[in-house]
Amino acid sequence: MSRYPFWAVLTPGEPARLESRARAIVMTEADEEDGKEPPFEVIPGNGRYHAIVGLDEMDVGAELQIAEELSLEYDEPVYAIERAKDPWLVMSFRNGLGEVEEVGPEALAKSLGCPLPGSEETSDSPARKPLRKAALVEGVRAQEAHRVLEEDAGEPLAPGLYHLEDTPLGLRISSETGDIGFADITLSERLPHATAYGVIASPSLDMFFVNVLRGGECIGQFAQPPREDSFMPAVSEIKGERSPERILAALGIPAEWFLNE
Protein backbone atom coordinates (compact mmCIF):
# COMPACT_ATOMS: atom_id res chain seq x y z
CA MET A 1 0.00 0.00 0.00
CA SER A 2 1.80 3.09 -1.27
CA ARG A 3 -0.40 5.98 -0.10
CA TYR A 4 -1.79 6.99 3.26
CA PRO A 5 -5.38 5.78 3.75
CA PHE A 6 -8.44 8.00 3.69
CA TRP A 7 -9.80 6.13 6.70
CA ALA A 8 -8.71 3.61 9.29
CA VAL A 9 -9.91 1.64 12.28
CA LEU A 10 -7.53 0.79 15.11
CA THR A 11 -8.85 -2.15 17.05
CA PRO A 12 -7.86 -5.04 19.28
CA GLY A 13 -8.53 -8.54 18.00
CA GLU A 14 -7.08 -11.24 15.79
CA PRO A 15 -6.32 -10.07 12.23
CA ALA A 16 -8.08 -12.90 10.38
CA ARG A 17 -11.22 -12.48 12.46
CA LEU A 18 -11.11 -8.70 12.06
CA GLU A 19 -11.09 -9.09 8.29
CA SER A 20 -14.07 -11.43 8.43
CA ARG A 21 -16.03 -9.15 10.77
CA ALA A 22 -15.25 -6.02 8.73
CA ARG A 23 -16.40 -7.74 5.54
CA ALA A 24 -19.66 -8.71 7.20
CA ILE A 25 -20.21 -5.13 8.40
CA VAL A 26 -19.55 -3.18 5.18
CA MET A 27 -20.15 -5.65 2.34
CA THR A 28 -23.53 -6.88 1.14
CA GLU A 29 -24.44 -10.37 -0.03
CA ALA A 30 -24.57 -8.99 -3.58
CA ASP A 31 -20.99 -7.69 -3.20
CA GLU A 32 -19.86 -11.15 -2.11
CA GLU A 33 -21.75 -12.88 -4.93
CA ASP A 34 -20.23 -10.49 -7.48
CA GLY A 35 -16.76 -11.31 -6.18
CA LYS A 36 -15.98 -7.72 -5.18
CA GLU A 37 -12.83 -7.19 -3.19
CA PRO A 38 -13.29 -5.63 0.27
CA PRO A 39 -12.64 -1.87 0.33
CA PHE A 40 -10.05 -2.22 3.07
CA GLU A 41 -6.92 -4.04 4.14
CA VAL A 42 -6.04 -5.39 7.58
CA ILE A 43 -2.50 -4.51 8.65
CA PRO A 44 -1.28 -6.41 11.73
CA GLY A 45 0.31 -4.35 14.48
CA ASN A 46 3.05 -5.40 16.86
CA GLY A 47 0.75 -5.68 19.88
CA ARG A 48 -2.92 -6.19 20.66
CA TYR A 49 -4.09 -3.47 18.24
CA HIS A 50 -4.25 -3.78 14.47
CA ALA A 51 -5.28 -1.40 11.66
CA ILE A 52 -8.08 -1.77 9.15
CA VAL A 53 -7.38 0.78 6.42
CA GLY A 54 -9.09 1.97 3.24
CA LEU A 55 -7.69 4.01 0.32
CA ASP A 56 -10.96 4.91 -1.41
CA GLU A 57 -12.58 8.23 -0.51
CA MET A 58 -15.90 6.80 -1.69
CA ASP A 59 -15.87 4.47 1.32
CA VAL A 60 -15.31 7.13 3.98
CA GLY A 61 -17.89 6.41 6.66
CA ALA A 62 -17.14 2.69 6.71
CA GLU A 63 -14.71 3.34 9.56
CA LEU A 64 -17.57 4.54 11.78
CA GLN A 65 -19.67 1.46 11.04
CA ILE A 66 -16.78 -0.91 11.69
CA ALA A 67 -15.58 0.84 14.86
CA GLU A 68 -19.08 1.04 16.33
CA GLU A 69 -19.75 -2.66 15.78
CA LEU A 70 -16.34 -3.87 16.94
CA SER A 71 -16.50 -1.74 20.10
CA LEU A 72 -19.36 -3.96 21.26
CA GLU A 73 -17.01 -6.94 21.23
CA TYR A 74 -13.96 -5.65 23.11
CA ASP A 75 -13.30 -4.04 26.47
CA GLU A 76 -10.68 -1.69 25.01
CA PRO A 77 -11.71 1.33 22.93
CA VAL A 78 -11.85 1.02 19.15
CA TYR A 79 -10.69 4.08 17.21
CA ALA A 80 -12.02 5.40 13.90
CA ILE A 81 -9.84 7.79 11.86
CA GLU A 82 -11.08 9.83 8.91
CA ARG A 83 -8.26 11.55 7.02
CA ALA A 84 -10.13 12.62 3.87
CA LYS A 85 -10.53 16.25 4.84
CA ASP A 86 -9.12 18.98 7.05
CA PRO A 87 -9.01 18.60 10.00
CA TRP A 88 -8.52 14.88 10.42
CA LEU A 89 -11.16 13.31 12.67
CA VAL A 90 -10.38 10.76 15.38
CA MET A 91 -13.18 9.10 17.35
CA SER A 92 -13.07 6.47 20.07
CA PHE A 93 -15.90 3.95 20.44
CA ARG A 94 -16.83 2.12 23.61
CA ASN A 95 -19.87 -0.14 23.77
CA GLY A 96 -21.15 1.33 20.52
CA LEU A 97 -20.90 4.95 21.63
CA GLY A 98 -18.53 7.34 19.86
CA GLU A 99 -16.61 10.33 21.20
CA VAL A 100 -14.33 12.76 19.38
CA GLU A 101 -10.71 12.58 20.53
CA GLU A 102 -8.27 15.52 20.42
CA VAL A 103 -5.27 13.49 19.29
CA GLY A 104 -3.26 13.20 16.09
CA PRO A 105 -3.95 10.00 14.15
CA GLU A 106 -0.29 9.19 13.50
CA ALA A 107 0.68 9.57 17.16
CA LEU A 108 -2.30 7.47 18.25
CA ALA A 109 -1.54 4.69 15.78
CA LYS A 110 2.13 4.58 16.79
CA SER A 111 1.24 4.50 20.49
CA LEU A 112 -0.97 1.46 19.86
CA GLY A 113 1.77 -0.34 17.92
CA CYS A 114 0.16 -0.14 14.48
CA PRO A 115 1.59 2.80 12.48
CA LEU A 116 -0.55 3.77 9.50
CA PRO A 117 0.73 3.33 5.92
CA GLY A 118 2.51 6.44 4.73
CA SER A 119 3.32 7.60 8.26
CA GLU A 120 6.90 8.26 7.22
CA GLU A 121 5.57 10.75 4.65
CA THR A 122 3.13 12.55 6.92
CA SER A 123 2.93 14.35 10.22
CA ASP A 124 0.11 14.95 12.68
CA SER A 125 -0.38 18.40 11.23
CA PRO A 126 -3.95 18.71 9.91
CA ALA A 127 -2.69 20.94 7.10
CA ARG A 128 -1.43 18.07 4.93
CA LYS A 129 -3.18 18.14 1.55
CA PRO A 130 -6.78 18.65 2.70
CA LEU A 131 -9.02 17.19 0.02
CA ARG A 132 -12.00 19.24 -1.11
CA LYS A 133 -15.13 18.10 -2.84
CA ALA A 134 -17.67 19.67 -5.19
CA ALA A 135 -20.01 18.27 -7.83
CA LEU A 136 -22.00 18.86 -10.99
CA VAL A 137 -25.31 17.01 -11.24
CA GLU A 138 -27.04 16.85 -14.60
CA GLY A 139 -30.81 16.53 -14.82
CA VAL A 140 -31.59 18.17 -11.46
CA ARG A 141 -32.57 21.68 -10.46
CA ALA A 142 -31.57 23.37 -7.20
CA GLN A 143 -35.08 23.39 -5.76
CA GLU A 144 -35.55 19.66 -6.31
CA ALA A 145 -32.09 18.88 -4.96
CA HIS A 146 -32.72 20.92 -1.81
CA ARG A 147 -35.94 19.00 -1.18
CA VAL A 148 -34.26 15.61 -1.65
CA LEU A 149 -31.27 16.46 0.55
CA GLU A 150 -33.53 17.82 3.27
CA GLU A 151 -35.69 14.70 3.18
CA ASP A 152 -32.60 12.53 3.41
CA ALA A 153 -31.29 14.52 6.39
CA GLY A 154 -34.66 14.38 8.12
CA GLU A 155 -34.34 18.01 9.16
CA PRO A 156 -33.82 21.48 7.63
CA LEU A 157 -30.40 21.90 6.04
CA ALA A 158 -28.00 24.06 8.03
CA PRO A 159 -27.20 27.43 6.39
CA GLY A 160 -24.04 27.16 4.28
CA LEU A 161 -24.00 23.37 4.37
CA TYR A 162 -24.58 23.32 0.61
CA HIS A 163 -24.51 25.94 -2.11
CA LEU A 164 -26.88 24.73 -4.83
CA GLU A 165 -26.56 26.71 -8.05
CA ASP A 166 -28.39 26.10 -11.33
CA THR A 167 -26.01 26.57 -14.27
CA PRO A 168 -26.31 25.91 -18.03
CA LEU A 169 -24.34 22.67 -17.46
CA GLY A 170 -26.42 21.42 -14.56
CA LEU A 171 -26.66 21.79 -10.79
CA ARG A 172 -23.38 22.88 -9.20
CA ILE A 173 -22.88 21.86 -5.56
CA SER A 174 -20.30 23.33 -3.22
CA SER A 175 -20.05 24.05 0.50
CA GLU A 176 -18.53 26.62 2.83
CA THR A 177 -16.71 23.73 4.50
CA GLY A 178 -15.04 22.65 1.24
CA ASP A 179 -16.75 19.26 1.51
CA ILE A 180 -20.22 18.36 0.22
CA GLY A 181 -20.12 14.98 1.93
CA PHE A 182 -22.32 12.44 0.15
CA ALA A 183 -24.70 14.95 -1.47
CA ASP A 184 -23.79 13.80 -5.00
CA ILE A 185 -24.30 10.15 -4.07
CA THR A 186 -27.62 10.88 -2.35
CA LEU A 187 -28.99 12.75 -5.36
CA SER A 188 -27.92 10.02 -7.78
CA GLU A 189 -29.58 7.41 -5.54
CA ARG A 190 -32.84 9.27 -5.08
CA LEU A 191 -33.08 10.63 -8.64
CA PRO A 192 -32.20 7.81 -11.05
CA HIS A 193 -32.44 10.11 -14.07
CA ALA A 194 -29.59 12.26 -12.74
CA THR A 195 -25.90 11.89 -13.57
CA ALA A 196 -23.52 13.25 -10.95
CA TYR A 197 -19.85 14.14 -11.31
CA GLY A 198 -18.27 14.24 -7.86
CA VAL A 199 -14.88 15.98 -7.90
CA ILE A 200 -12.37 15.38 -5.11
CA ALA A 201 -9.03 17.18 -5.25
CA SER A 202 -6.11 18.48 -3.25
CA PRO A 203 -5.30 22.23 -3.35
CA SER A 204 -2.52 21.71 -5.91
CA LEU A 205 -4.69 19.33 -8.00
CA ASP A 206 -1.93 16.71 -7.81
CA MET A 207 -4.54 14.38 -6.31
CA PHE A 208 -7.63 14.60 -8.50
CA PHE A 209 -10.60 12.25 -8.76
CA VAL A 210 -13.93 12.41 -10.55
CA ASN A 211 -16.56 9.80 -9.73
CA VAL A 212 -19.36 9.54 -12.29
CA LEU A 213 -22.50 8.40 -10.48
CA ARG A 214 -25.82 7.13 -11.73
CA GLY A 215 -28.46 5.37 -9.66
CA GLY A 216 -26.19 5.61 -6.63
CA GLU A 217 -23.45 3.57 -8.33
CA CYS A 218 -20.07 4.73 -9.58
CA ILE A 219 -20.07 3.96 -13.30
CA GLY A 220 -16.66 5.51 -13.96
CA GLN A 221 -13.75 7.00 -12.05
CA PHE A 222 -11.12 9.35 -13.41
CA ALA A 223 -8.05 9.38 -11.19
CA GLN A 224 -4.81 11.35 -11.28
CA PRO A 225 -2.49 9.74 -10.45
CA PRO A 226 -4.01 6.48 -11.79
CA ARG A 227 -5.15 4.07 -9.07
CA GLU A 228 -4.37 0.40 -9.40
CA ASP A 229 -6.02 -0.34 -6.04
CA SER A 230 -9.49 0.98 -6.93
CA PHE A 231 -12.35 -1.39 -7.71
CA MET A 232 -14.23 1.42 -9.50
CA PRO A 233 -14.38 1.20 -13.33
CA ALA A 234 -11.58 3.46 -14.56
CA VAL A 235 -12.08 6.05 -17.30
CA SER A 236 -9.37 8.05 -19.06
CA GLU A 237 -11.38 11.23 -19.70
CA ILE A 238 -14.34 13.24 -18.49
CA LYS A 239 -16.39 14.96 -21.20
CA GLY A 240 -13.50 14.51 -23.58
CA GLU A 241 -10.95 16.17 -21.28
CA ARG A 242 -7.94 14.58 -19.60
CA SER A 243 -6.33 17.26 -17.41
CA PRO A 244 -7.76 18.44 -14.06
CA GLU A 245 -8.00 22.08 -15.16
CA ARG A 246 -9.82 21.27 -18.41
CA ILE A 247 -12.11 18.75 -16.71
CA LEU A 248 -13.11 21.35 -14.14
CA ALA A 249 -13.81 23.83 -16.94
CA ALA A 250 -15.94 21.25 -18.78
CA LEU A 251 -17.95 20.68 -15.59
CA GLY A 252 -18.28 24.40 -14.90
CA ILE A 253 -16.55 24.04 -11.52
CA PRO A 254 -14.04 26.85 -10.77
CA ALA A 255 -10.53 25.54 -10.21
CA GLU A 256 -10.13 28.31 -7.60
CA TRP A 257 -12.39 26.36 -5.24
CA PHE A 258 -9.58 23.83 -4.89
CA LEU A 259 -6.50 25.97 -5.49
CA ASN A 260 -7.21 28.61 -2.86
CA GLU A 261 -5.89 27.82 0.59
Side-chain angles (χ1 to χ4, degrees):
M1 186 173 292
S2 61
R3 297 197 312 277
Y4 72 96
F6 284 112
W7 59 268
V9 174
L10 308 179
T11 177
E14 192 276 321
R17 183 178 183 278
L18 291 175
E19 180 171 2
S20 175
R21 287 290 294 119
R23 289 179 70 109
I25 293 168
V26 302
M27 297 186 70
T28 66
E29 290 185 9
D31 291 335
E32 297 283 0
E33 292 172 358
D34 292 342
K36 286 187 177 180
E37 292 296 319
F40 60 81
E41 178 179 342
V42 177
I43 301 178
N46 57 25
R48 180 156 170 74
Y49 274 80
H50 310 286
I52 303 171
V53 302
L55 282 174
D56 200 321
E57 196 273 347
M58 289 288 288
D59 295 310
V60 167
E63 76 282 357
L64 300 178
Q65 292 177 275
I66 296 171
E68 180 180 354
E69 291 291 330
L70 292 181
S71 73
L72 299 172
E73 304 175 18
Y74 300 103
D75 294 332
E76 300 98 323
V78 177
Y79 297 94
I81 297 172
E82 196 252 277
R83 305 203 301 181
K85 59 179 181 288
D86 178 14
W88 294 341
L89 175 66
V90 178
M91 294 188 67
S92 62
F93 283 82
R94 294 174 175 82
N95 297 317
L97 300 177
E99 180 179 351
V100 175
E101 298 285 347
E102 298 296 331
V103 61
E106 307 291 356
L108 174 64
K110 289 177 182 178
S111 73
L112 295 174
C114 48
L116 297 175
S119 295
E120 67 279 1
E121 301 172 5
T122 68
S123 70
D124 280 327
S125 169
R128 184 186 185 274
K129 288 190 177 179
L131 296 176
R132 302 176 182 184
K133 183 175 181 181
L136 177 78
V137 186
E138 298 173 335
V140 181
R141 303 288 290 176
Q143 185 175 3
E144 183 181 22
H146 187 278
R147 175 184 58 79
V148 169
L149 293 172
E150 200 163 69
E151 288 178 355
D152 184 73
E155 60 184 7
L157 299 178
L161 179 60
Y162 303 119
H163 291 307
L164 306 175
E165 181 183 359
D166 291 320
T167 77
L169 297 175
L171 173 67
R172 192 163 59 192
I173 308 175
S174 60
S175 173
E176 291 180 0
T177 67
D179 182 11
I180 63 170
F182 299 107
D184 53 334
I185 301 174
T186 298
L187 291 175
S188 73
E189 287 177 342
R190 297 283 299 278
L191 303 170
H193 62 279
T195 299
Y197 297 84
V199 179
I200 305 153
S202 62
S204 59
L205 301 183
D206 60 335
M207 294 181 65
F208 185 84
F209 311 104
V210 181
N211 295 308
V212 186
L213 305 164
R214 191 174 297 143
E217 298 290 331
C218 181
I219 61 173
Q221 182 184 73
F222 176 93
Q224 180 178 288
R227 301 181 58 183
E228 297 179 358
D229 59 301
S230 178
F231 57 88
M232 303 296 179
V235 297
S236 60
E237 51 84 18
I238 297 292
K239 293 188 176 294
E241 303 295 350
R242 297 173 181 269
S243 72
E245 293 82 1
R246 292 185 66 87
I247 288 173
L248 289 173
L251 295 175
I253 297 176
E256 291 77 13
W257 288 0
F258 301 94
L259 296 173
N260 288 345
E261 293 291 345

